[in-house]
Amino acid sequence: ITNDKGRTFNVVILRKGDTYGLENCLTHVEDELAVEFYDATHTHTEHGQFVSRYYVKTLLESVERTYGLDLMGYEPVWKIDAHSMAIVRIWLRHQQQNHKS
């Protein structure tokens, strides 16, 4: 997804059994889906520079969410604007529905 400042992020779903973290040394052991945001302008990992991780249900708690997401308060370009976040939430709902199937 690309924010309103032109910064591109890779958004990655973590399902139970998926590896993550530095050199994929951790395993997601929970049934709950998680989502990670990476700054794609940096090449620290295959997805970019890790920025933040959330549970999908946290980002979807309210059906009527119309605001963006500040991924890292001290970094001005690491913000997802409301329009871009709406697109992410649609994608997350789809991922969540496929996970339940």
Side-chain angles (χ1 to χ4, degrees):
I1 193 80
T2 302
N3 70 12
D4 59 348
K5 307 236 182 314
R7 184 63 56 115
T8 300
F9 296 89
N10 288 316
V11 185
V12 179
I13 287 287
L14 292 177
R15 293 174 175 80
K16 187 173 186 174
D18 287 349
T19 57
Y20 68 100
L22 185 60
E23 297 179 5
N24 288 320
C25 65
L26 303 171
T27 302
H28 186 68
V29 296
E30 299 178 45
D31 290 327
E32 190 67 41
L33 292 176
V35 59
E36 295 182 324
F37 291 85
Y38 292 83
D39 183 337
T41 62
H42 301 282
T43 57
H44 300 297
T45 71
E46 67 179 294
H47 302 297
Q49 181 177 349
F50 175 76
V51 178
S52 193
R53 180 181 308 111
Y54 299 88
Y55 286 110
V56 169
K57 70 178 181 181
T58 301
L59 298 179
L60 297 178
E61 281 177 341
S62 173
V63 177
E64 297 298 323
R65 291 195 183 239
T66 58
Y67 50 85
L69 182 65
D70 187 342
L71 298 171
M72 186 82 55
Y74 62 83
E75 183 56 60
V77 296
W78 285 352
K79 297 178 187 340
I80 310 288
D81 60 282
H83 174 75
S84 299
M85 199 58 209
I87 294 168
V88 169
R89 285 190 183 96
I90 290 168
W91 180 73
L92 290 175
R93 281 188 206 97
H94 179 71
Q95 297 298 313
Q96 194 176 48
Q97 288 170 349
N98 286 344
H99 178 68
K100 293 177 182 178
S101 302

